[in-house]
Amino acid sequence: MTETMDDISITAPWQERHLLGLEHLSAEEIATILDLADQFQTLTEGGSKKLTVLNGTVVANLFFENSTRTKTSFNIAARRLGADTVDFSASGSSLSKGETFVDTALTIEAMGVDLVVCRHRTPGAPHLLARHLKAGVINAGDGTHEHPTQALLDMLTIRQKLGRIEGLTVALVGDIRHSRVARSNIHGLLKLGARVIVCGPATLVPRTITQLGVEVAYNLDEILPQVDCVNLLRVQFERQRGAFFPSIAEYAHLFGMNGDRIRKAKDGLLVLAPGPINRGVELTPEVADGPHSVILNQVSNGLLIRMACLYLLAKKAGK
Amino acid sequence: MRTLIQNGTIVDPANGIEARRELLIADGKVVEVLPQGQQPDADRVIDATGLLVCPGFIDVHVGVREPGFDEDETIASATAAALAGGFTSIAALPDTNPVVDNRGSAEFVKRQAERANNCRVFPLGAVTKGTRGEELAEIGQLVEADAVAFTDAKSPIANAEVMRRALEYTGMFDRPILHHSMVPELSDTGVMHEGFQSTRLGLRGIPAAANDIMTGRDIALAELTGGRVHIMCVNTQETVERIRLAQGRTVAVSADVTPHHLLLTDEVMDSFDTLFKCNPPLRSQEHIDALIEGLKDGTIAVISSDHQPLAIEKKDVDLDSAPFGICGLETTLALCVKALIQPAHLSWSQLVACLTTGPAALLGIPHGTLSPDVAADVTLVDPIEEWTIDAASFRSRSRNTPFNGWKVTGRVVTTIVNGEVRHSTRA
């Protein structure tokens, strides 16, 4: 099958040069990405998995922080659209020789890169790149700030499984303070009309989070009967300074998703988790591998979402 | 050499003057302030029509960065920047490499200042060796080398026992300790004010409590020891209130504030621009309102630029990696006009007092006034000149200001040190 531009329709005009987060996107723009991801699912089902719409486009993965899943997902997404990819990781690079983050990006751009996918440990790092580069920049996670494509794939998964997002109640459980996934999900879900509850230990839920329009709960068992979806955030041991809760066992006891909690929840509860999951901490294997879990759907949808984002930004860049 | 500065408005808070007067200086000293219209014999006349004639401004803590960080600033470039900002005296922070924690280092600062021959430079000595907060520096010998006060710059003295001993020891010499009052455990790795904005942006926050707690401790120790503590860069509502109450009990505590803490809120951080990254961080509007109240009622008697010059390559990185600091000497007056004069929070006399008598009293130096026989350090200000801040034209070696391109009002036009014109924007 050879697809043409005519096979792909964009539901609303797309004006963004970069995808740095969901906070500043409109509901229409978010819906545009989700709709396009659905189209890519149709286009790649059954037939050839490789499209040609981004032939000649070069996508650089600039990952300054360890990542396997997201980086692989972006790579496959770019190649499925016909783009060429180049990988750059900080370890063993010129960064270790003293070159700055911006200099590295400028150097790579000078090699003819059209889109840059950036992951960095510091909030705002992709924004810094966007100020310096002519290429489009996609934020693949900037510290504890945003991870827009992860939230988009979560929303796509919810929409595919439950048919809508508006009017649903979604609980984000765990380490809200250090979670870029939580922030992006909050912005996206609220814009699309969901009710969002954040739940976790008080040490990991900033008090001011309510100003974003979410509700705060500290007791998972109390809110479970109300929620349609629960998104179990990974405990970010690597981002924490000091201990935010007494023990892993206590965390799992209070906030881990297990069989007992599934039985207290709504029948059609969706269990989502941005990988990698700590089995036995955020959720038990029984839940991870059970009928409520949509974790593997999330992974598949990650490809579709990233294809949609790469496509939109490449077209905006005139590719 | 007799110089007459005529037709200007003298603003000399030390003597309660804010009126049209003539200023006569001779042989590097003030002779007297004369009634309007008097024209004594003079070798030179400076026409100050439309200008404010103020005592030379004094900055109580300036990062000069020499020795050790010449890529950011040198004593020559810092003092040139000071003159452009109307400062005739600056106190040099000791957080250089090596640290000014011994007599030789203080002598070096003085020597470099003499070579530069720009403005006066008073060394600030470190409170502790290497500013590590552990052992007292050679405070007595630093006093002999003319250190006017003591500070560990941006390193808080976390150990209360060390701070207690330091206040007792500096008290022997009647020298204040200028302290960066911050609880390190609460501020560690933070890059901005902790509040809704830091939550939204996912940036690590520094809670206001980090300043409030340490200021409370410092006040208690000043009360215990009878030493003098000065809180640098006051930035929280609660801190202002604690200082106000302590002053009411006649505790020897004083404070300064910077223009950037009066003008910018934490909302600017959503640009992720490292130029806004400063320590202590920019806080929210209610804190700014409290700082302004503190200036109005005299709780805060000093304004400092907290000049922290940083080479461009150091700031052109991500927020976590970038060092804290704003380059401030050349923008202080105009930013104070914007923050305090234009909204009518302070009169010109009150503002000039924060730049002259307040700092002079803190450092115990015979400047900041136009009284007869004091050194003729004079700053002439055009209060209504409009101009645009242009970092590229700074005399400082560094350009790290978030105010580049701001349209401002109020400009230093001439700076006179010891009766000599050392800086002028007018031919």
Side-chain angles (χ1 to χ4, degrees), chain B residues 185-249:
Chain B
E185 299 88 342
L186 290 173
S187 60
D188 181 41
T189 72
V191 299
M192 69 174 289
H193 171 57
E194 182 177 307
F196 170 60
Q197 296 300 333
S198 65
T199 296
R200 183 171 77 86
L201 299 170
L203 288 165
R204 283 200 198 277
I206 300 172
N211 289 109
D212 302 340
I213 292 165
M214 191 61 96
T215 302
R217 184 209 73 170
D218 288 346
I219 289 168
L221 291 175
E223 206 159 13
L224 173 71
T225 61
R228 293 166 57 196
V229 70
H230 174 87
I231 312 300
M232 294 190 288
C233 306
V234 164
N235 64 105
T236 73
Q237 191 174 11
E238 178 64 22
T239 299
V240 176
E241 184 55 26
R242 287 181 182 206
I243 294 168
R244 182 180 287 122
L245 290 171
Q247 288 173 341
R249 301 196 307 271

Coordinates of all heavy atoms in Angstrom, one line a residue, chain B residues 185-249:
Chain B
E185 N 19.3 22.9 54.1 CA 18.5 21.7 53.9 C 17.2 21.9 53.2 O 16.7 21.0 52.5 CB 18.2 21.0 55.3 CG 19.4 20.6 56.1 CD 19.9 21.7 57.0 OE1 19.5 22.9 56.8 OE2 20.6 21.4 58.0
L186 N 16.7 23.1 53.3 CA 15.4 23.4 52.7 C 15.6 24.0 51.3 O 14.7 24.0 50.5 CB 14.6 24.4 53.5 CG 14.0 23.8 54.8 CD1 13.3 24.9 55.6 CD2 13.0 22.7 54.5
S187 N 16.8 24.6 51.0 CA 17.0 25.2 49.7 C 17.8 24.4 48.8 O 17.9 24.7 47.6 CB 17.7 26.6 50.0 OG 19.0 26.4 50.6
D188 N 18.4 23.3 49.3 CA 19.3 22.5 48.5 C 18.7 22.1 47.2 O 17.6 21.5 47.1 CB 19.7 21.2 49.3 CG 20.6 20.3 48.6 OD1 21.5 20.8 48.0 OD2 20.4 19.1 48.6
T189 N 19.4 22.3 46.1 CA 19.0 22.0 44.7 C 17.8 22.8 44.2 O 17.4 22.6 43.1 CB 18.8 20.5 44.4 OG1 17.5 20.1 45.0 CG2 19.9 19.7 44.9
G190 N 17.2 23.7 45.0 CA 16.1 24.5 44.6 C 16.6 25.6 43.6 O 17.7 26.0 43.7
V191 N 15.7 25.9 42.6 CA 16.1 27.0 41.7 C 15.2 28.1 41.6 O 15.5 29.1 41.0 CB 16.3 26.4 40.2 CG1 17.3 25.3 40.2 CG2 14.9 25.9 39.7
M192 N 14.1 28.0 42.3 CA 13.1 29.2 42.3 C 12.2 29.1 43.6 O 12.4 28.2 44.4 CB 12.2 29.1 41.1 CG 11.2 27.9 41.1 SD 10.1 27.9 39.6 CE 9.0 29.3 40.1
H193 N 11.4 30.1 43.7 CA 10.5 30.2 44.8 C 9.5 28.9 44.8 O 9.0 28.5 43.8 CB 9.6 31.4 44.7 CG 8.5 31.5 45.7 ND1 8.6 31.5 47.0 CD2 7.1 31.7 45.4 CE1 7.4 31.6 47.6 NE2 6.5 31.8 46.7
E194 N 9.3 28.4 46.0 CA 8.4 27.2 46.1 C 7.0 27.8 46.2 O 6.7 28.5 47.2 CB 8.7 26.3 47.3 CG 7.8 25.1 47.3 CD 8.2 24.1 48.5 OE1 9.3 23.7 48.5 OE2 7.3 23.8 49.3
G195 N 6.1 27.4 45.3 CA 4.7 27.8 45.3 C 4.0 27.2 44.1 O 4.5 26.2 43.5
F196 N 2.9 27.8 43.8 CA 2.2 27.3 42.6 C 3.0 27.2 41.4 O 3.0 26.2 40.6 CB 0.9 28.1 42.4 CG 0.2 27.7 41.1 CD1 -0.3 26.4 40.9 CD2 0.0 28.6 40.1 CE1 -0.9 26.1 39.7 CE2 -0.6 28.3 38.9 CZ -1.1 27.0 38.7
Q197 N 3.8 28.3 41.1 CA 4.6 28.3 39.8 C 5.6 27.1 39.8 O 5.8 26.5 38.7 CB 5.3 29.6 39.7 CG 4.3 30.8 39.5 CD 3.4 30.7 38.3 OE1 3.7 30.0 37.3 NE2 2.2 31.3 38.4
S198 N 6.3 26.9 40.9 CA 7.2 25.8 40.9 C 6.6 24.5 40.7 O 7.1 23.6 40.0 CB 8.1 25.8 42.1 OG 7.3 25.5 43.3
T199 N 5.4 24.3 41.3 CA 4.6 23.1 41.1 C 4.2 22.9 39.6 O 4.4 21.8 39.0 CB 3.3 23.1 41.9 OG1 3.7 23.2 43.3 CG2 2.4 21.9 41.7
R200 N 3.8 24.0 39.0 CA 3.3 24.0 37.6 C 4.5 23.6 36.7 O 4.3 22.9 35.7 CB 2.8 25.3 37.3 CG 2.2 25.5 35.9 CD 1.4 26.8 35.8 NE 2.3 27.9 35.6 CZ 2.8 28.3 34.4 NH1 2.6 27.7 33.3 NH2 3.6 29.4 34.4
L201 N 5.6 24.2 37.0 CA 6.8 24.1 36.1 C 7.6 22.9 36.4 O 8.5 22.5 35.6 CB 7.6 25.4 36.1 CG 6.9 26.6 35.8 CD1 7.8 27.9 36.1 CD2 6.6 26.6 34.3
G202 N 7.4 22.2 37.5 CA 8.2 21.1 37.8 C 9.6 21.4 38.2 O 10.5 20.6 38.2
L203 N 9.8 22.7 38.6 CA 11.1 23.1 39.1 C 11.2 23.0 40.6 O 10.2 23.3 41.3 CB 11.4 24.5 38.6 CG 11.6 24.7 37.1 CD1 11.5 26.2 36.7 CD2 13.0 24.2 36.7
R204 N 12.4 22.6 41.1 CA 12.5 22.5 42.5 C 12.4 23.9 43.2 O 13.0 24.8 42.8 CB 13.9 21.9 42.9 CG 13.9 20.4 42.6 CD 15.1 19.8 43.4 NE 15.5 18.5 42.9 CZ 14.8 17.4 43.2 NH1 13.8 17.4 44.1 NH2 15.3 16.2 42.8
G205 N 11.7 23.9 44.3 CA 11.4 25.2 44.9 C 12.2 25.4 46.2 O 12.7 24.4 46.8
I206 N 12.4 26.7 46.5 CA 13.0 27.1 47.7 C 11.9 27.7 48.6 O 11.5 28.8 48.2 CB 14.2 28.0 47.5 CG1 15.3 27.4 46.6 CG2 14.8 28.5 48.8 CD1 16.4 28.3 46.2
P207 N 11.4 27.1 49.6 CA 10.3 27.7 50.3 C 10.7 29.0 51.0 O 11.8 29.2 51.5 CB 9.9 26.6 51.3 CG 11.1 25.8 51.5 CD 11.9 25.8 50.2
A208 N 9.7 29.9 51.2 CA 10.0 31.1 51.9 C 10.5 30.8 53.4 O 11.3 31.5 54.0 CB 8.7 32.0 52.0
A209 N 10.0 29.7 53.9 CA 10.3 29.3 55.2 C 11.8 29.1 55.4 O 12.4 29.2 56.5 CB 9.6 28.0 55.6
A210 N 12.5 28.7 54.3 CA 14.0 28.6 54.4 C 14.7 29.9 54.8 O 15.6 29.9 55.6 CB 14.5 28.1 53.0
N211 N 14.1 31.0 54.3 CA 14.6 32.3 54.8 C 14.1 32.7 56.2 O 14.8 33.2 57.0 CB 14.2 33.4 53.8 CG 15.0 33.3 52.5 OD1 14.4 32.9 51.4 ND2 16.3 33.5 52.5
D212 N 12.8 32.4 56.4 CA 12.2 32.9 57.6 C 12.8 32.2 58.8 O 13.1 32.9 59.8 CB 10.7 32.5 57.6 CG 9.9 33.1 56.4 OD1 10.4 34.0 55.8 OD2 8.9 32.5 56.0
I213 N 13.1 30.9 58.7 CA 13.6 30.2 59.8 C 15.0 30.7 60.2 O 15.3 30.9 61.3 CB 13.7 28.6 59.5 CG1 12.2 28.1 59.4 CG2 14.5 27.9 60.6 CD1 12.2 26.7 58.7
M214 N 15.9 30.8 59.1 CA 17.2 31.2 59.4 C 17.3 32.7 59.9 O 18.1 33.0 60.8 CB 18.1 31.1 58.1 CG 19.6 31.2 58.4 SD 20.2 30.0 59.5 CE 20.8 28.7 58.4
T215 N 16.4 33.5 59.4 CA 16.4 34.9 59.9 C 16.0 34.9 61.4 O 16.6 35.7 62.2 CB 15.4 35.8 59.1 OG1 15.8 35.7 57.7 CG2 15.4 37.2 59.5
G216 N 15.0 34.1 61.7 CA 14.6 34.0 63.1 C 15.8 33.6 64.0 O 16.0 34.1 65.1
R217 N 16.5 32.6 63.5 CA 17.7 32.1 64.3 C 18.7 33.3 64.4 O 19.3 33.5 65.5 CB 18.3 30.9 63.6 CG 19.5 30.3 64.3 CD 20.5 29.7 63.4 NE 21.3 30.7 62.7 CZ 22.4 30.4 62.0 NH1 22.8 29.1 61.9 NH2 23.1 31.3 61.3
D218 N 19.0 34.0 63.3 CA 20.0 35.0 63.3 C 19.6 36.1 64.3 O 20.5 36.7 65.0 CB 20.2 35.6 61.9 CG 20.9 34.6 61.0 OD1 21.5 33.7 61.5 OD2 20.9 34.9 59.8
I219 N 18.3 36.5 64.3 CA 17.9 37.5 65.3 C 18.1 37.0 66.7 O 18.6 37.8 67.6 CB 16.4 37.8 65.0 CG1 16.3 38.6 63.7 CG2 15.8 38.6 66.1 CD1 14.8 38.7 63.1
A220 N 17.7 35.8 67.0 CA 17.9 35.2 68.3 C 19.4 35.3 68.7 O 19.7 35.6 69.9 CB 17.3 33.8 68.4
L221 N 20.2 34.9 67.8 CA 21.7 34.9 68.1 C 22.2 36.4 68.3 O 23.1 36.6 69.2 CB 22.5 34.2 67.1 CG 22.2 32.7 67.0 CD1 22.9 32.0 65.9 CD2 22.6 32.0 68.3
A222 N 21.7 37.3 67.5 CA 22.1 38.7 67.7 C 21.7 39.2 69.1 O 22.4 39.9 69.8 CB 21.5 39.6 66.6
E223 N 20.5 38.8 69.5 CA 20.0 39.2 70.8 C 20.8 38.5 71.9 O 21.1 39.2 72.9 CB 18.5 38.7 70.9 CG 17.7 39.5 71.8 CD 16.2 39.4 71.6 OE1 15.8 38.6 70.8 OE2 15.5 40.2 72.1
L224 N 21.2 37.3 71.7 CA 22.0 36.6 72.7 C 23.3 37.2 72.9 O 23.9 37.3 74.0 CB 22.1 35.1 72.3 CG 23.0 34.2 73.1 CD1 22.4 33.9 74.5 CD2 23.3 32.9 72.3
T225 N 24.0 37.5 71.8 CA 25.4 37.9 71.8 C 25.6 39.4 71.8 O 26.7 39.9 72.1 CB 26.1 37.4 70.5 OG1 25.5 38.0 69.4 CG2 26.0 35.9 70.4
G226 N 24.6 40.2 71.4 CA 24.8 41.6 71.3 C 25.5 42.0 70.0 O 25.9 43.2 69.8
G227 N 25.8 41.0 69.2 CA 26.4 41.3 67.9 C 25.5 41.9 66.9 O 24.3 42.0 67.1
R228 N 26.0 42.4 65.8 CA 25.2 43.0 64.7 C 25.1 42.1 63.6 O 26.0 41.6 63.0 CB 25.9 44.3 64.2 CG 26.0 45.4 65.3 CD 26.9 46.5 64.9 NE 26.6 47.1 63.6 CZ 27.4 47.8 62.8 NH1 28.7 48.1 63.3 NH2 27.0 48.4 61.7
V229 N 23.8 41.8 63.2 CA 23.6 40.9 62.1 C 22.8 41.7 61.0 O 21.8 42.5 61.3 CB 22.9 39.6 62.5 CG1 21.4 39.8 62.9 CG2 22.9 38.6 61.3
H230 N 23.2 41.6 59.8 CA 22.5 42.2 58.7 C 22.1 41.2 57.7 O 22.9 40.4 57.2 CB 23.5 43.2 58.0 CG 22.9 43.8 56.7 ND1 22.2 45.0 56.8 CD2 23.0 43.4 55.4 CE1 21.8 45.3 55.5 NE2 22.3 44.4 54.7
I231 N 20.8 41.1 57.4 CA 20.2 40.1 56.5 C 20.3 40.6 55.1 O 19.7 41.7 54.7 CB 18.7 39.8 56.9 CG1 18.6 39.6 58.4 CG2 18.3 38.6 56.0 CD1 19.4 38.4 58.9
M232 N 21.1 39.9 54.2 CA 21.2 40.3 52.8 C 20.0 39.9 52.0 O 19.5 38.8 52.2 CB 22.5 39.7 52.2 CG 23.8 40.3 52.9 SD 25.3 39.8 51.9 CE 25.3 38.0 52.3
C233 N 19.6 40.7 51.1 CA 18.6 40.3 50.1 C 17.3 39.8 50.7 O 16.9 38.7 50.4 CB 19.1 39.3 49.1 SG 20.6 39.7 48.3
V234 N 16.8 40.5 51.6 CA 15.5 40.1 52.3 C 14.5 39.9 51.2 O 14.4 40.7 50.2 CB 15.0 41.2 53.2 CG1 13.6 41.0 53.6 CG2 15.9 41.2 54.5
N235 N 13.7 38.9 51.3 CA 12.8 38.5 50.2 C 11.5 37.9 50.6 O 10.7 37.5 49.7 CB 13.6 37.6 49.2 CG 13.9 36.3 49.8 OD1 13.3 35.2 49.5 ND2 14.9 36.3 50.7
T236 N 11.2 37.8 51.9 CA 9.9 37.2 52.2 C 9.2 38.1 53.2 O 9.8 38.9 54.0 CB 10.1 35.8 52.9 OG1 10.6 36.0 54.2 CG2 11.0 34.9 52.1
Q237 N 7.9 37.9 53.2 CA 7.0 38.7 54.0 C 7.3 38.5 55.5 O 7.4 39.4 56.3 CB 5.6 38.2 53.7 CG 4.4 39.0 54.3 CD 3.1 38.4 53.7 OE1 3.0 37.3 53.1 NE2 2.0 39.1 54.0
E238 N 7.4 37.2 55.9 CA 7.6 36.9 57.3 C 9.0 37.4 57.8 O 9.1 37.8 59.0 CB 7.6 35.3 57.4 CG 7.8 34.8 58.8 CD 6.8 35.2 59.9 OE1 5.7 35.6 59.5 OE2 7.1 35.2 61.1
T239 N 10.0 37.4 57.0 CA 11.3 37.9 57.3 C 11.2 39.4 57.7 O 11.8 39.8 58.7 CB 12.3 37.6 56.2 OG1 12.4 36.2 56.0 CG2 13.7 38.1 56.6
V240 N 10.5 40.1 56.8 CA 10.4 41.6 57.1 C 9.7 41.8 58.5 O 10.2 42.6 59.3 CB 9.6 42.2 56.0 CG1 9.3 43.7 56.3 CG2 10.3 42.1 54.6
E241 N 8.7 41.0 58.7 CA 8.0 41.2 60.0 C 8.8 40.8 61.2 O 8.8 41.5 62.2 CB 6.7 40.3 59.9 CG 5.8 40.4 61.2 CD 5.3 41.8 61.4 OE1 5.3 42.7 60.5 OE2 5.1 42.2 62.6
R242 N 9.6 39.8 61.0 CA 10.5 39.4 62.2 C 11.6 40.4 62.4 O 11.9 40.7 63.6 CB 11.2 38.0 61.8 CG 10.2 36.9 61.9 CD 10.9 35.5 61.6 NE 9.9 34.5 61.7 CZ 10.2 33.2 62.0 NH1 11.4 32.8 62.2 NH2 9.2 32.3 62.1
I243 N 12.1 41.0 61.3 CA 13.1 42.1 61.5 C 12.5 43.3 62.2 O 13.0 43.9 63.1 CB 13.8 42.4 60.1 CG1 14.6 41.2 59.6 CG2 14.6 43.7 60.3 CD1 15.0 41.3 58.2
R244 N 11.3 43.6 61.7 CA 10.6 44.8 62.3 C 10.4 44.6 63.8 O 10.6 45.5 64.6 CB 9.2 44.9 61.5 CG 8.4 46.1 62.0 CD 7.1 46.2 61.2 NE 7.3 46.6 59.8 CZ 6.9 45.9 58.8 NH1 6.3 44.7 59.0 NH2 7.1 46.3 57.6
L245 N 9.9 43.5 64.2 CA 9.7 43.2 65.6 C 11.0 43.3 66.4 O 11.0 43.8 67.5 CB 9.0 41.9 65.8 CG 7.5 41.8 65.3 CD1 7.0 40.3 65.4 CD2 6.6 42.7 66.2
A246 N 12.0 42.7 65.8 CA 13.3 42.7 66.5 C 13.9 44.1 66.7 O 14.4 44.4 67.8 CB 14.3 41.8 65.8
Q247 N 13.7 44.9 65.6 CA 14.2 46.2 65.7 C 13.4 47.0 66.8 O 14.0 47.8 67.5 CB 14.1 47.0 64.4 CG 15.1 46.5 63.4 CD 14.8 47.1 62.0 OE1 13.7 47.6 61.7 NE2 15.8 47.0 61.1
G248 N 12.2 46.6 67.0 CA 11.4 47.2 68.0 C 11.9 46.9 69.4 O 11.7 47.7 70.4
R249 N 12.6 45.8 69.5 CA 13.2 45.4 70.8 C 14.6 45.8 70.9 O 15.4 45.4 71.7 CB 13.1 43.8 71.0 CG 11.8 43.2 70.9 CD 11.8 41.8 71.5 NE 12.8 40.9 70.8 CZ 12.6 40.2 69.7 NH1 11.4 40.2 69.2 NH2 13.5 39.5 69.2

